Amino acid sequence: MPPADERESGVRELRGVPYGVVEGGRPLELDLWLPKADQAGPVPLVLFVHGGAWRRGRRDDMGPRMRSWVPGPFARIASAGFAVACADCRLSGEATFPGALDDLRAALRYLTLRSAELDIDTERTVM
C-alpha cells in the first residue's frame, strides 16, 4: 500500500493502489480517499464507477463540470465520513462482458481483505 497523502481537509488520499492483474492485460489500480484518521470506527464505502458506457473514461473523473472543484468531489465525500474508492476496470475494447464487472468485484474483494487496515466497512458499500 503506498503512503497516504494527507490533504488540507484532513482527507487521506492514496493513488495508484494495485488491486489486480488480469492475465494478458494491464495491472488494475484504484484510488482511495479516506476520512480523517480520527473517525470513530470503520466508515462506509462508496465504490465509484465512472461513466462512459464501459467504452471510455477514467477511474478518477466525474466529468468536466467537476474537474475544477477544490476540494474535489471525492475529497468532499470523504470529508463527510465515507471512504471513496475509484477502481480501474477493463473497458469493452480490452475485455468482453462481464470483464469490467469482474474487475469491480475484484476491487471490492481487495478492499474487503484490507478493510481492517483501511478502517472501512465493506458491508456498507454503495456503488
Side-chain angles (χ1 to χ4, degrees):
M1 191 72 74
D5 181 15
E6 189 152 339
R7 300 294 174 174
E8 290 175 22
S9 61
V11 170
R12 297 171 292 149
E13 189 176 313
L14 293 93
R15 295 289 192 122
V17 178
Y19 77 86
V21 177
V22 180
E23 189 174 328
R26 62 186 165 89
L28 299 172
E29 298 179 340
L30 57 83
D31 298 332
L32 282 169
W33 285 261
L34 300 167
K36 293 179 182 179
D38 62 355
Q39 293 281 334
V43 296
L45 173 67
V46 174
L47 180 57
F48 175 73
V49 181
H50 66 77
W54 306 114
R55 292 184 292 160
R56 62 181 178 197
R58 293 189 348 233
R59 69 178 180 251
D60 64 347
D61 190 13
M62 288 183 102
R65 288 184 177 207
M66 297 183 185
R67 287 182 190 145
S68 62
W69 284 22
V70 177
F74 303 123
R76 290 174 187 223
I77 295 168
S79 66
F82 297 86
V84 180
C86 302
D88 273 339
C89 58
R90 291 170 292 161
L91 302 176
S92 60
E94 299 173 280
T96 57
F97 182 82
L101 187 56
D102 292 340
D103 298 342
L104 293 171
R105 286 183 182 134
L108 190 54
R109 271 192 310 275
Y110 174 85
L111 292 166
T112 300
L113 290 171
R114 305 296 284 258
S115 61
E117 174 186 351
L118 298 169
D119 205 22
I120 59 175
D121 181 359
T122 55
E123 291 293 316
R124 297 186 296 159
T125 299
V126 65
M127 293 175 80

